[in-house]
Amino acid sequence: MPHAHENVRATEATGGLIPRTVFESRGIQVMITERPTLNGPTLRVGGAMVYVKRNRWAATHRGRGLRMEYGGDRYRLWAVNRREYAVMREADNEDRGVTVKVRESGIAKWKRVEVSVSGRALAADIALAVVFAGVDRSVLTRRGAVRAGFSRIFHVAMDTAMG
């Protein structure tokens, strides 16, 4: 559920079997958004910091995806399409990794999230995947990135014209 303060947008995932996960974005861009964006994020799982970076100029969905590091594991988030995304914990010498796919359906209060897992998931894997259902991920698709760019230009132009 998204939370709104003056210059902060946040969403969190909580539950009995997953650690509390909080995603926040700060800055001037949050004034024009309902949900937190992938610009300037802070992500915590169970109080521990998750390091996040992304290449906003990449040509492919996977290239534009988020790269995260948490608890010694590396994760990637990418858009499958507008309503579906995946979070993958990369394989290492101790584990084969896991992919968690999340598909959204419905609108407003009828919104539903379907989660499917391939591999052996940890609670943090599920929490990281689910928290992004409350985040504006539109910039992960090419069309969404173009729309977001025009939207920001329009809002900045309106702000300068108004005041």
Side-chain angles (χ1 to χ4, degrees), residues 13 17-21 43-46 50 68 70-71 73 75 87 89 98 100 121-132:
L17 300 176
I18 63 171
R20 181 174 182 253
T21 304
L43 179 57
R44 289 187 173 82
V45 174
V50 178
M68 300 173 279
Y70 165 72
D73 290 322
Y75 292 85
V87 174
R89 178 171 32 93
V98 65
V100 181
L122 304 172
D125 302 336
I126 303 295
L128 275 172
V130 171
V131 77
F132 284 100

Side-chain angles (χ1 to χ4, degrees), residues 1-5 8-12 22-25 30 34-37 42 131 134-135:
M1 115 173 47
H3 302 287
H5 296 295
V8 177
R9 294 287 184 268
T11 189
E12 66 181 316
V22 178
F23 184 98
E24 295 179 339
S25 61
V30 301
E34 292 180 21
R35 301 191 300 175
T37 66
T42 302
V131 77
V135 174

Side-chain angles (χ1 to χ4, degrees), residues 38 53-68 74-81 84-91 96-101 118 137-143 145:
L38 295 176
K53 62 182 174 179
R54 92 181 152 98
N55 179 1
R56 65 183 74 212
W57 304 109
T60 65
H61 283 205
R62 281 192 185 227
R64 268 190 306 282
L66 226 51
R67 289 173 225 10
M68 300 173 279
R74 293 190 325 215
Y75 292 85
R76 294 182 68 113
L77 163 82
W78 70 91
V80 175
N81 57 44
E84 188 175 351
Y85 62 94
V87 174
M88 178 184 73
R89 178 171 32 93
E90 295 180 4
R96 288 194 219 177
V98 65
T99 301
V100 181
K101 286 192 175 180
S118 63
R137 303 173 317 277
S138 62
V139 295
L140 295 178
T141 64
R142 190 173 307 138
R143 183 178 290 167

